[in-house]
Amino acid sequence: MDEHDTFREELGAEGLTDPRETGRPHRPHPSAKEYIRIGMILAVLTSLEVWTSYSGLPHGIMITFLWVMSAIKFSLVALWFMHLRFDDPRYSRFFMLGIVGACVLYLLVLLSFRVFAR
Amino acid sequence: MATATVPTRRGGILRRPTATTGFWSWFTTIDHKKIGILYGVTAFTFFIVGGLEALIIRAQLARPDQTLVNAAQYNQIFTMHGLTMIFLFVMPMSAAFFNYLIPLMIGARDVAFPRLNAFSYWVFLMGGLFLYSSWFLGGAPNGGWFGYAPNSTTDPTPGMTFYALGLLITGIASSAGAINLAVTIVNMRAPGMTLFRMPVFVWMGLVVQFLLAFSLPIITVALFEMLFDRRWDTAFFDPTRGGDPILWQHLFWLFGHPEVYILILPAFGIFSEVLPVFSRKPLFGYQFVVFSGIAIGFIGFGVWVHHMYAAGLGPVANTAFGISTAIIAIPTGVKIFNWMATMQGGDLHFDTPMLYSVGGVAMFVIGGLSGVTHSVVPSDYQQTDTYYVVAHFHYVLFGGAVFGLFAGMYYWWPKVFGFRLGEGLGKLQFWLMIIGFNLTFGPMHILGLEGMIRREYTYPAALGLAFWNEVASAGAFLIAISVLVFIINAVRARVRHRPLETDDPWDARTLEWTTSCPPPAYNFETIPVVHTLDEFWHRKYAEDKEGRLVRVPAGASDDAPAPAAGHAIHMPSPSFWPLVAALGLPTLAYGAMYSWWIVGLGALIVVVAFTGWALEPGTAE
Amino acid sequence: MADATAGHARPVHVEQTSTGLPSTKLAMWLFLGSECLLFGALITTYVLYRGASQTGPYPQDVFDIPYTSVSSFVLLASSLTMVLSLTAAEKHDHARMRLWLLATAFLGMTFVGGQVYEFTHFYREGLSISTNLFGTTFYVLTGFHGVHVTVGILMLLSLVGMSSTNRLPEDPAFPVELVGLYWHFVDIVWIVIFTVVYLIPNPVPK
């Protein structure tokens, strides 16, 4: 247990704390079956990705497909396995700050190198 | 009367430390107040060292064609001066204030992760010592604090390897601290203290922690890439193999620009606390000051290319970032107007903290104005790499951030140490410093526009730069004298130890002043319940029908009643694991430079320490 | 605070915090957010230098996509086993939880082992970290990821060890959840790396 637990008792004793209890999901917990289903979808998507890379599709379309499938996989793991879909939205905000920040900043850097114009 | 429980021994191989007083307790403390003091003392020591480096620079440049130091030595000295002042003084001194004050200001007993807090301090100390060991191990970093590749990646002396590893170590300290303090502010506020009842200092602290958390990883990658280029012959910044040194500049400044806001926002927070107290008026436009701080944080991530206007990115990039840089002046201006409005019509008392705050805001405005001229691309083309830039950033960093830190030191000294710094010596010290400061850096605007180039160990007499350089050097020695006066003031005040007449010597507004000076280990007998911004002020004063302040009779506050006798406050116990874990990091670093065996040793220390840490309960019972 | 009875350690209290959320979980999410910036910089470096190597070996000379695809499946599977261990933990089923944790660690070790083998193979083909930009950016990006996976494996094994020695609470879901968050993050970074580095076709050298 962490040390901060010991102070917490007093915060609670003074009465003004957030009534939301930790760990209580806003939606019902996924079951093991649901998780396995997500796992299957991830496996299928990965197979599709690999197939796409061999498919010989035109470059632009191939890249779009690959990014889209990666994004879906990314979201599935984040929302289900990492439980963001069922948890307090504040966790998502911390994480989104990082993801969106990274995407925007690094996109700008790559643009300045005219990477996409090559 | 509440007492802190005394933790007892329990299991394990080595006995858990229990002392919370005495010399050795400082090595195992996890009390945020003691850690704050450790940060402060260490940071101030580095300030002296960095200042001595500055004096060597100014002695060398006082006259043309001097050879007090040669070019190679000069490069090391100015590089270390910058690194020291930024990473080993301003940032840790800000950390000292955040560590000491944030829990007190939000009505908490400590930070969210006390042992992690101790770890941050020890890692910072190790990083600083590691960086300075370079002087004795082949040469200090010599590529400027910004370490541009490929100069930094090809220099044969070991200095820039110390740079990369040293900053990686201190970066770990700041990253851990950022997560710790951010969670503390978000999660450990007293009942009733909503985000918009927090002091502005805490708000600025919150923004700074987010800036740190999101900018440090970027320079981490840059430093590793530099390290690998230097040690393992990678091609990241090697043009002969297709690498691009501009990548270094992007990665560095993506961190480097938020870094300057990390340096100034704590001072802005201090100004926002001191000005109201010494104007005896609430801060004007609290929400505007808060929102502008948040805006500065966000926009601060969007201006980094203004350090690269001359790097050849082209007019589109330069224009876009010129616009964003101009925009960031707006929230900064908002703060300044709010501070001025706070003073307007107030009952002004120019004690030393107030002098430093007003002086700090004024100096920052000057630096901000030269900053605005930098935002304009064509004029920056003339100013970049000249002493005009040196003038600009010293006005904002020394005039702004350091003056803010001095204001904070004078203001909170009684809270931390239980006695005031001398007011007479304080005023003298302030005037010496502000005059010396302006004498040193004011002329640098002129020198820059007359063409004096940065980062050069000397200049020829024929350039006509001698006069203002001599003035600048004289000013630097005046600054040194003022720092000496500060030290004398501190020692003298400590020796006299005039007890405070009250625990609230400034008649202040915020919760940290409700505790004794210094506060007990557990901060508050009872966690306060907060009903308003400036909670403490409103407990002391109400307003009568004409709006005049009327002192509330003692005992009329509505604190929750004191706990029943025998109720013990559980505080987390001291621990040696943070210190041990911290020792692992420089070991790894030396190993990376000299021997894989040492790397192994470092890894072992880190693994053992973190394991011990994880298995140790927060509070020994 | 200590539960004097033998068996699993002290009971969990509900955290009383300003947000109602546990501090360690908030800290973990903030940390993961910051890690996005770290991996973003490494991925950006790779993307920037894609096709810029002046000499070989080039990606198409050394990549074995079927092999790496298997590695990717392994890591994805490990996320599934991780979440199953959490489900077991929530049911206070320590034995099953340890089983799934070990499975996750094992799959993680397989992944890392696969990477080590892959790196060795590439090295024998003439691709070192200093050969060209491809070697530099490839090894550093995937190497950083591999180190993160290794740290994750250590944490998983620590959980197993702590559980076996009764050092975890009766309801061990919380620490398992935290380690799980880190583990899943490392997996989603690989999802991005696999696409960007292996699947998106690299420019053919002139």
Side-chain angles (χ1 to χ4, degrees):
Chain A
M1 274 302 140
D2 325 73
E3 46 256 310
H4 52 265
D5 283 1
T6 53
F7 322 133
R8 295 284 187 278
E9 301 159 15
E10 290 154 339
L11 286 178
E14 249 60 78
L16 223 152
T17 52
D18 192 305
R20 266 173 295 180
E21 207 181 349
T22 62
R24 177 178 299 150
H26 291 213
R27 297 185 194 125
H29 253 300
S31 61
K33 268 206 198 97
E34 243 185 281
Y35 284 134
I36 294 176
R37 214 173 294 142
I38 302 282
M40 301 272 106
I41 298 177
L42 288 168
V44 167
L45 281 171
T46 309
S47 314
L48 270 174
E49 280 182 322
V50 177
W51 175 86
T52 307
S53 77
Y54 279 110
S55 65
L57 284 167
H59 190 77
I61 299 186
M62 181 191 291
I63 301 220
T64 312
F65 273 18
L66 286 173
W67 275 114
V68 167
M69 280 185 281
S70 291
I72 297 175
K73 285 166 68 180
F74 188 110
S75 309
L76 283 174
V77 176
L79 291 170
W80 265 269
F81 285 178
M82 296 173 90
H83 225 248
L84 281 178
R85 185 172 145 81
F86 310 93
D87 269 345
D88 191 285
R90 283 172 285 197
Y91 296 126
S92 304
R93 278 180 219 149
F94 274 15
F95 191 52
M96 288 300 283
L97 213 53
I99 301 246
V100 172
C103 288
V104 170
L105 291 177
Y106 294 126
L107 207 65
L108 285 173
V109 172
L110 289 171
L111 279 172
S112 80
F113 281 104
R114 299 183 190 88
V115 150
F116 307 108
R118 285 189 197 154
Chain B
M1 162 82 171
T3 51
T5 55
V6 177
T8 56
R9 177 187 186 157
R10 182 195 193 217
I13 300 168
L14 289 168
R15 191 203 302 245
R16 177 99 183 244
T18 54
T20 51
T21 52
F23 176 73
W24 292 107
S25 72
W26 288 90
F27 293 92
T28 55
T29 185
I30 45 110
D31 178 343
H32 71 99
K33 298 182 289 300
K34 283 181 120 138
I35 292 171
I37 294 172
L38 285 170
Y39 266 114
V41 170
T42 310
F44 197 85
T45 309
F46 278 118
F47 174 55
I48 306 292
V49 176
L52 291 171
E53 286 158 347
L55 288 178
I56 298 176
I57 293 173
R58 286 318 317 169
Q60 164 66 11
L61 293 176
R63 298 212 177 87
D65 297 312
Q66 292 204 119
T67 50
L68 295 171
V69 291
N70 62 31
Q73 291 164 328
Y74 184 82
N75 290 347
Q76 291 172 68
I77 291 170
F78 85 73
T79 303
M80 288 299 273
H81 166 74
L83 291 172
T84 303
M85 289 309 196
I86 292 171
F87 294 104
L88 305 180
F89 168 52
V90 176
M91 286 174 81
M93 186 59 87
S94 304
F97 284 106
F98 287 146
N99 264 283
Y100 199 100
L101 294 168
I102 287 179
L104 287 166
M105 284 181 165
I106 62 175
R109 295 201 187 287
D110 208 309
V111 296
F113 307 107
R115 284 174 299 180
L116 191 66
N117 205 18
F119 175 74
S120 282
Y121 166 73
W122 292 111
V123 172
F124 146 65
L125 177 66
M126 298 297 154
L129 292 175
F130 176 83
L131 200 58
Y132 267 86
S133 73
S134 61
W135 287 115
F136 308 105
L137 291 171
N142 58 0
W145 87 283
F146 45 84
Y148 275 14
N151 175 48
S152 56
T153 49
T154 56
D155 188 275
T157 62
M160 293 312 278
T161 307
F162 278 101
Y163 167 90
L165 289 166
L167 290 186
L168 282 170
I169 296 174
T170 54
I172 290 173
S174 295
S175 300
I179 294 180
N180 208 345
L181 285 170
V183 171
T184 302
I185 294 170
V186 166
N187 233 13
M188 294 186 67
R189 287 163 281 134
M193 181 167 282
T194 60
L195 287 172
F196 283 90
R197 288 180 187 164
M198 294 196 312
V200 172
F201 182 74
V202 180
W203 264 112
M204 295 302 103
L206 185 61
V207 175
V208 166
Q209 306 320 314
F210 274 92
L211 286 173
L212 283 166
F214 292 116
S215 67
L216 282 169
I218 307 176
I219 195 178
T220 301
V221 169
L223 291 169
F224 270 112
E225 292 181 354
M226 167 190 279
L227 189 64
F228 294 156
D229 266 18
R230 288 180 61 82
R231 302 286 299 165
W232 292 342
D233 195 29
T234 51
F236 287 111
F237 310 117
D238 178 4
T240 66
R241 281 178 285 171
D244 194 339
I246 301 290
L247 176 64
W248 166 269
Q249 293 189 30
H250 276 294
L251 293 178
F252 180 83
W253 288 116
L254 269 169
F255 155 78
H257 196 82
E259 167 68 5
V260 315
Y261 294 110
I262 289 164
L263 295 172
I264 196 65
L265 286 177
F268 282 359
I270 295 175
F271 296 149
S272 305
E273 297 305 324
V274 172
L275 288 170
V277 169
F278 292 88
S279 310
R280 304 190 62 70
K281 266 181 79 196
L283 178 70
F284 193 92
Y286 168 88
Q287 274 126 328
F288 284 99
V289 178
V290 168
F291 281 121
S292 62
I294 297 171
I296 288 171
F298 266 108
I299 306 174
F301 267 104
V303 301
W304 82 91
V305 170
H306 70 219
H307 299 272
M308 298 165 64
Y309 284 152
L313 296 185
V316 174
N318 284 357
T319 312
F321 283 90
I323 294 173
S324 61
T325 305
I327 288 176
I328 205 168
I330 298 174
T332 316
V334 164
K335 283 184 188 288
I336 291 168
F337 286 119
N338 278 291
W339 289 327
M340 286 164 60
T342 302
M343 292 175 67
Q344 165 78 23
D347 174 17
L348 305 178
H349 295 260
F350 285 97
D351 298 80
T352 311
M354 184 64 157
L355 286 173
Y356 265 111
S357 296
V358 175
V361 173
M363 296 302 103
F364 181 83
V365 168
I366 297 173
L369 289 173
S370 59
V372 168
T373 64
H374 283 317
S375 75
V376 179
V377 178
S379 68
D380 187 64
Y381 275 176
Q382 301 300 312
Q383 296 152 12
T384 195
D385 283 341
T386 70
Y387 263 77
Y388 189 92
V389 183
V390 179
H392 160 69
F393 65 69
H394 280 95
Y395 265 87
V396 288
L397 285 180
F398 192 152
V402 178
F403 275 36
L405 293 173
F406 271 92
M409 283 194 277
Y410 277 94
Y411 180 55
W412 279 298
W413 198 276
K415 169 57 55 186
V416 176
F417 295 112
F419 57 88
R420 272 191 247 236
L421 286 171
E423 195 42 46
L425 274 182
K427 291 193 164 84
L428 170 68
Q429 197 263 310
F430 166 76
W431 286 110
L432 286 173
M433 186 171 265
I434 197 169
I435 292 170
F437 166 79
N438 279 287
L439 274 179
T440 309
F441 299 108
M444 290 187 186
H445 294 98
I446 302 171
L447 285 170
L449 293 176
E450 286 184 344
M452 184 171 177
I453 302 295
R454 287 174 76 174
R455 312 170 190 143
E456 294 225 329
Y457 81 112
T458 190
Y459 53 93
L463 287 181
L465 301 170
F467 175 69
W468 287 119
N469 266 297
E470 210 159 347
V471 172
S473 295
F477 281 88
L478 197 55
I479 296 175
I481 293 172
S482 79
V483 174
L484 207 58
V485 172
F486 179 82
I487 296 172
I488 292 171
N489 194 356
V491 171
R492 195 152 153 263
R494 174 68 182 84
V495 165
R496 286 186 180 177
H497 210 303
R498 279 209 201 100
L500 294 169
E501 64 282 5
T502 161
D503 281 335
D504 178 24
W506 307 117
D507 197 14
R509 310 182 73 89
T510 42
L511 284 179
E512 76 275 21
W513 296 102
T514 64
T515 62
S516 58
C517 292
Y522 47 82
N523 294 352
F524 301 95
E525 287 257 351
T526 332
I527 300 290
V529 177
V530 173
H531 303 284
T532 172
L533 177 65
D534 287 342
E535 171 73 15
F536 182 44
W537 183 262
H538 291 279
R539 289 185 185 185
K540 292 188 290 183
Y541 295 104
E543 282 184 12
D544 66 10
K545 283 192 281 291
E546 280 88 50
R548 285 184 302 234
L549 290 175
V550 172
R551 192 117 202 175
V552 170
S557 74
D558 44 358
D559 251 2
H567 171 85
I569 300 173
H570 297 272
M571 294 299 291
S573 312
S575 170
F576 48 70
W577 290 121
L579 172 52
V580 175
L583 285 168
L585 294 181
T587 313
L588 283 169
Y590 283 120
M593 292 183 71
Y594 300 116
S595 155
W596 284 105
W597 288 112
I598 302 180
V599 171
L601 176 64
L604 185 67
I605 294 175
V606 168
V607 169
V608 167
F610 281 129
T611 309
W613 182 334
L615 294 178
E616 174 188 73
T619 309
E621 297 265 346
Chain C
M1 215 81 8
D3 184 354
T5 62
H8 299 289
R10 311 162 230 130
V12 184
H13 358 264
V14 172
E15 298 258 348
Q16 302 290 353
T17 59
S18 305
T19 57
L21 305 174
S23 289
T24 14
K25 194 166 166 181
L26 272 177
M28 176 57 83
W29 275 112
L30 185 55
F31 170 66
L32 295 180
S34 76
E35 288 267 86
C36 294
L37 274 303
L38 187 97
F39 280 105
L42 290 165
I43 292 170
T44 300
T45 305
Y46 181 88
V47 171
L48 174 66
Y49 287 144
R50 189 207 290 280
S53 295
Q54 294 164 346
T55 64
Y58 300 99
Q60 42 273 67
D61 301 332
V62 290
F63 277 170
D64 180 347
I65 303 296
Y67 176 87
T68 317
S69 307
V70 171
S71 255
S72 300
F73 279 110
V74 164
L75 201 61
L76 275 176
S78 75
S79 261
L80 179 60
T81 54
M82 182 74 230
V83 99
L84 290 175
S85 89
L86 178 61
T87 312
E90 281 162 349
K91 297 199 186 96
H92 301 199
D93 185 343
H94 284 249
R96 185 152 285 176
M97 171 195 82
R98 283 195 294 268
L99 179 71
W100 287 120
L101 284 174
L102 281 169
T104 311
F106 174 73
L107 288 168
M109 286 188 268
T110 308
F111 176 84
V112 174
Q115 287 229 287
V116 171
Y117 178 78
E118 186 182 49
F119 286 13
T120 321
H121 175 67
F122 287 5
Y123 186 74
R124 290 212 191 95
E125 298 284 304
L127 184 74
S128 77
I129 204 175
S130 56
T131 309
N132 57 11
L133 279 174
F134 170 56
T136 288
T137 55
F138 172 79
Y139 284 119
V140 172
L141 171 57
T142 53
F144 261 84
H145 177 261
V147 169
H148 277 77
V149 176
T150 308
V151 170
I153 294 171
L154 288 174
M155 291 200 289
L156 291 165
L157 295 175
S158 302
L159 275 181
V160 173
M162 286 169 80
S163 170
S164 311
T165 53
N166 293 334
R167 283 191 144 104
L168 288 182
E170 175 65 35
D171 177 6
F174 190 60
V176 174
E177 186 188 3
L178 287 176
V179 173
L181 286 175
Y182 176 85
W183 188 261
H184 295 305
F185 178 75
V186 158
D187 186 26
I188 60 183
V189 171
W190 181 256
I191 289 172
V192 178
I193 293 179
F194 184 51
T195 300
V196 169
V197 173
Y198 291 90
L199 296 183
I200 291 184
N202 289 280
V204 177
K206 293 169 192 111

